[in-house]
Amino acid sequence: MNSCCKINGCNNEPKILAVIFDLDGTLLDTERATRGVLKDFLGKYGKEVNKEREENKRLGMTQKESAALIVKDYQLSLTPDQFIKEINPLYIQRWWREAKALPGANRIIKHFVKNGVPLALASNSLREYIYAKIPHHKGWTESFSVILGNDQVKFGKPAPDLFEEAAKRMGVNAMNCLVFEDSLVGVKAAHAAKTKIVAVPSRGESDCCKLANVTLNSLLEFQPELWGLPPFDDWVDNALPIEPIHLSGLYVTGSLLETKENLAFGIPDQVIGIYFGWAKVDADRNLKTLVSISLDLSSVSYKKVNVWFIDANTDIESELQMQISLVGYIRAWDNKKLGSVEMEKLEEYKSIAKASLDLPSFSSF
């Protein structure tokens, strides 16, 4: 998903003085952390989850709106408040244990803090739920000078209140803020507040690009200098060290493979691009690998994952299960088919990956 809107570089454009982040789906992978909670809860009441009904249906809603819809859809003998009271402890437990930072989230927060860019967090969750999600992510709580939930303003998203209030508390005009969002509801709110908008859409939220200034597949694609903000300085030659992304349950034969769909389902929406890392194929072999992860809207799993072994003579003759740890990022990648031009680029990426994996920045993982 390339940028589908423009970054206006006119001299009279408002200068970016502060940054506001959404939380769920933008910085934290809370959706996968809580997958199965609703199914288990409904099972206690003799109900089954309707997968088609649940697919992204409530993305961007407040919890109260979501609860009212669930109670109605599944004809539960509960009020929305009773539903919330019963299910919340299950969500909080999962948020605390399993809500992982999305690729590039820690990097971008640390970068802005290091360079003195004021940060705010503005979520459609209640404030108490925000604090159930972020404390175990090192440095996050103290990195944001403002943390707002939808219970602290008159109207939640898609109204502009959260972003306008966050800007006000940071002492800047909303027009001087850059907002990161993953949902259309959030993008609408940011647009109404007249902020600049970077959309990093979750699955099914591609309409974000209609209102956003730029749309990215991943926070790793963000270029601060395009917004007049200090550039990143953490690239090692042509590659970026990243927090490891672990892929498991993958079977491989030969030097190139396409994953089975259950693996692609386990990858967060914002993991798109050209990566490299280590593949553990048996007890004593770790092989250098190049991995492309791209969108594939024709697939049920929404992703297409290709893996190439970089080391010479490493074709796998029989089908083996392996685990992959991605430790480096090279660039965005949207190609579904590999033509001659793409194959030439692929050889270049293999060279970058092979050289990088010999460096301490990457081999230490």
Side-chain angles (χ1 to χ4, degrees):
M1 191 185 307
N2 291 322
S3 168
C4 59
C5 303
K6 65 179 182 295
I7 300 174
N8 193 327
C10 299
N11 291 332
N12 60 353
E13 281 292 300
K15 183 179 180 181
I16 299 301
L17 301 176
V19 173
I20 307 174
F21 287 99
D22 171 57
L23 181 60
D24 300 305
T26 301
L27 295 177
L28 277 185
D29 189 15
T30 45
E31 190 274 331
R32 276 166 184 75
T34 55
R35 184 173 285 169
V37 169
L38 181 60
K39 177 183 176 182
D40 295 342
F41 182 88
L42 291 175
K44 295 192 304 181
Y45 288 89
K47 309 285 186 178
E48 291 186 5
V49 168
N50 183 320
K51 291 183 180 179
E52 290 183 10
R53 179 187 293 163
E54 294 306 317
E55 187 69 30
N56 296 318
K57 182 176 180 180
R58 298 185 307 279
L59 191 66
M61 284 187 180
T62 65
Q63 188 184 35
K64 203 139 192 174
E65 291 169 339
S66 176
L69 196 59
I70 292 171
V71 167
K72 178 183 177 182
D73 283 350
Y74 292 99
Q75 299 179 333
L76 297 175
S77 56
L78 298 168
T79 67
D81 286 341
Q82 289 171 332
F83 172 83
I84 290 171
K85 186 176 180 180
E86 287 191 25
I87 202 169
N88 270 357
L90 306 178
Y91 279 116
I92 289 171
Q93 187 180 52
R94 290 285 192 92
W95 290 333
W96 186 263
R97 287 201 325 254
E98 300 177 32
K100 294 181 172 60
L102 285 163
N106 280 309
R107 176 196 185 217
I108 199 169
I109 291 171
K110 290 176 182 176
H111 176 74
F112 285 140
V113 170
K114 184 177 80 170
N115 287 281
V117 179
L119 298 183
L121 198 57
S123 170
N124 240 10
S125 293
L126 298 177
R127 182 179 170 89
E128 66 174 290
Y129 300 150
I130 297 172
Y131 280 99
K133 298 170 185 176
I134 66 172
H136 64 297
H137 292 275
K138 187 176 180 181
W140 281 27
T141 304
E142 52 268 36
S143 293
F144 298 100
S145 60
V146 175
I147 297 177
L148 284 176
N150 68 2
D151 54 327
Q152 295 175 275
V153 293
K154 187 173 182 180
F155 298 108
K157 304 170 188 178
D161 301 34
L162 273 165
F163 295 125
E164 290 174 345
E165 181 64 19
K168 179 181 176 182
R169 294 193 185 192
M170 287 190 289
V172 299
N173 192 297
M175 294 177 66
N176 297 108
C177 291
L178 180 64
V179 167
F180 287 80
E181 267 286 355
D182 76 302
S183 71
L184 181 58
V185 168
V187 168
K188 284 181 175 179
H191 185 262
K194 297 182 172 56
T195 70
K196 296 299 183 184
I197 308 164
V198 175
V200 192
S202 292
R203 183 175 182 175
E205 293 291 305
S206 58
D207 283 348
C208 284
C209 69
K210 294 177 181 178
L211 294 176
N213 295 88
V214 66
T215 303
L216 308 176
N217 292 304
S218 164
L219 290 174
L220 295 172
E221 296 177 13
F222 179 64
Q223 295 176 272
E225 61 273 22
L226 298 181
W227 301 93
L229 296 168
F232 288 113
D233 58 2
D234 51 356
W235 284 76
V236 179
D237 294 329
N238 295 306
L240 172 68
I242 62 172
E243 297 173 30
I245 300 170
H246 302 292
L247 312 180
S248 60
L250 184 145
Y251 290 84
V252 57
T253 304
S255 59
L256 167 64
L257 68 129
E258 294 182 7
T259 66
K260 295 183 177 180
E261 295 210 331
N262 61 340
L263 174 68
F265 266 126
I267 302 173
D269 293 339
Q270 291 83 354
V271 179
I272 302 287
I274 293 286
Y275 300 85
F276 58 85
W278 302 94
K280 188 176 182 65
V281 294
D282 52 37
D284 57 359
R285 275 200 298 174
N286 288 297
L287 305 178
K288 295 178 178 178
T289 60
L290 183 74
V291 178
S292 73
I293 305 175
S294 59
L295 294 175
D296 184 1
L297 300 180
S298 66
S299 167
V300 175
S301 64
Y302 193 62
K303 296 282 180 66
K304 183 172 183 178
V305 184
N306 290 336
V307 179
W308 296 268
F309 294 121
I310 298 169
D311 302 277
N313 302 317
T314 56
D315 282 8
I316 306 298
E317 295 180 358
S318 59
E319 187 174 76
L320 293 174
Q321 185 175 13
M322 68 178 183
Q323 296 179 329
I324 294 178
S325 293
L326 304 178
V327 299
Y329 171 82
I330 296 176
R331 56 155 294 166
W333 179 257
D334 291 323
N335 296 286
K336 296 178 185 176
K337 295 182 180 179
L338 295 171
S340 58
V341 174
E342 287 74 28
M343 288 303 294
E344 287 181 15
K345 291 181 180 177
L346 195 62
E347 292 306 312
E348 176 189 343
Y349 302 148
K350 286 182 181 179
S351 297
I352 292 171
K354 186 172 184 178
S356 297
L357 286 167
D358 287 332
L359 301 174
S361 301
F362 302 96
S363 61
S364 61
F365 291 112

